[in-house]
Amino acid sequence: MGIVGLGNVGGGTLTILAENSEEIARKLGFRLQVAAVCSRTAKEKQLPAGIAPALITTDWREVVAHPEVDVVAELVGGTGVAKEVVEGAIAAGKSVVTANKELIALEGVNIWRQAQAKGVTLAMEASVCGGIPIHAVLREGIAGDRIETVFGILNGTSNYILTEIEQNGTAFDAVLAEAQRLGYAEADPTADIGGFDARSKLALLASLAFGVRLTPAEIYTEGIQRVSPTDFAYARQLGCTIKLLCAARRVEGGLFVSVRPALLPVSTIMASVHGAYNAVWCRGAFGADTFYYGRGAGPTPTGVAVVSDLMRVAREIRPEPAHRVPPFAHTELPDASPLPIGDQKRPWYLRFRITDRPGIIRDLSSILAGHGISIDAVLQLPDQDKHNLPFVITLENSLESSVRSAVEKMAALEFMVEPPLAMPIERGV
Ligand SMILES: NC(=O)c1ccc[n+]([C@@H]2O[C@H](COP(=O)([O-])OP(=O)(O)OC[C@H]3O[C@@H](n4cnc5c(N)ncnc54)[C@H](OP(=O)(O)O)[C@@H]3O)[C@@H](O)[C@H]2O)c1
């Protein structure tokens, strides 16, 4: 395959192809080979170890024409050169993987027709919500449903800005300037804060969800520029927050589609999508609600989408049934032999019920210390029954086998009303 564009997404794609090559081969049953790479400054780029293409060029035409390239990944962006790359690849009988929402939202249907005419494949998972596999969900995962509504938070920059305004009460202009300084917003932020990036993505999602052709310009669009800390203060009084909400609703007679700031009840799952994260919520006539959440951008989250598309296309262009997607995702499944659960380290919550008397904490601490376990905190609610007194000890990161053995010892203490309840604290969930 050939990669055109070695920036954020191209770089992330090559990193994954290099560092995850074994796992990818185990899933495919064959290896993906990068035969050619291209960017304006390709010859100056440091490629990841293990990526050694036969061709490194500044001219995309050479990639498209290369005999060892049967799939071209267009990771340039925009609608100029990128369009030439995509159409040039298809004309040369090569399949295309692209991350380009702008091009696909504008020209996707024409490009797909060209691909059909040439008998090649077009894959574009990375074009909407980088790290969320929402194309696969709409194309396959819930294809059996009839989608009624799609809601999305599809632009990480504007969601980051709104989250900052909400959490710190800072005015829009100051948050935008800070986001630009940190590299979260572009020097020209119009596409993000004006809602235009989000509307390209919504146009694509609506096509996938409802099977219609929709150009971005047909979508009612408002940006977030006028949303202020005052609006968040009032929204809070209404039990709501404010998000740049992309909405597509099927009603009798057609579709309502819009991108604009909207109030959402804080109790909804969408309201808890903060910072640069993206989310898509679908309601189907039969399957009801499903929700998808993840990183909307970034070199490796978007790179995963590109690599997964490359894998799918590499399978599709091989005629042998042996290369269909295996039902267990991998071509072979060696025994997992799970590790003993006791070898895990976690923080823990221990809840006791005791008959109160002096020295209880001392007795428990000495058992924990004897097992090499450190206490994080001791918690007790006031005004409890002294003959059946609940209290909690939380533990720092501790070996599960040690915690279990300590708990067993504690259960035998004469002041225990019942054996302690031990639960791990999973902070990363
Ligand atoms: N960034 C994300 O997180 C993200 C997420 C989802 C989708 N996308 C989409 O992915 C695509 C790429 O975005 P990106 O952020 O990776 O952009 P980027 O960092 O600006 O990279 C663009 C790459 O294209 C190369 N390029 C530009 N003009 C070229 C030409 N005429 N011939 C050959 N190469 C050329 C550049 O070359 P040089 O490096 O030599 O200058 C650069 O390597 C866009 O369609 C974007 O919308 C991006």
Side-chain angles (χ1 to χ4, degrees), residues 162 224 227 235 240-246 259-265:
L162 290 176
I224 59 168
V227 178
C240 289
T241 184
I242 301 169
K243 296 287 179 194
L244 180 65
L245 193 70
C246 302
V259 174
R260 59 180 165 194
L263 271 73
L264 302 181

Side-chain angles (χ1 to χ4, degrees), residues 175-189:
V175 177
L176 174 59
E178 179 66 358
Q180 284 170 318
R181 197 183 65 75
L182 294 171
Y184 296 152
E186 308 265 336
D188 177 1

Side-chain angles (χ1 to χ4, degrees), residues 101 124-132 134-135 154 201 204-205:
K101 72 218 123 193
M124 52 195 189
E125 181 64 69
S127 61
V128 181
C129 302
I132 308 175
I134 192 65
H135 280 252
L154 306 181
K201 295 170 181 168
L204 287 177
L205 285 188

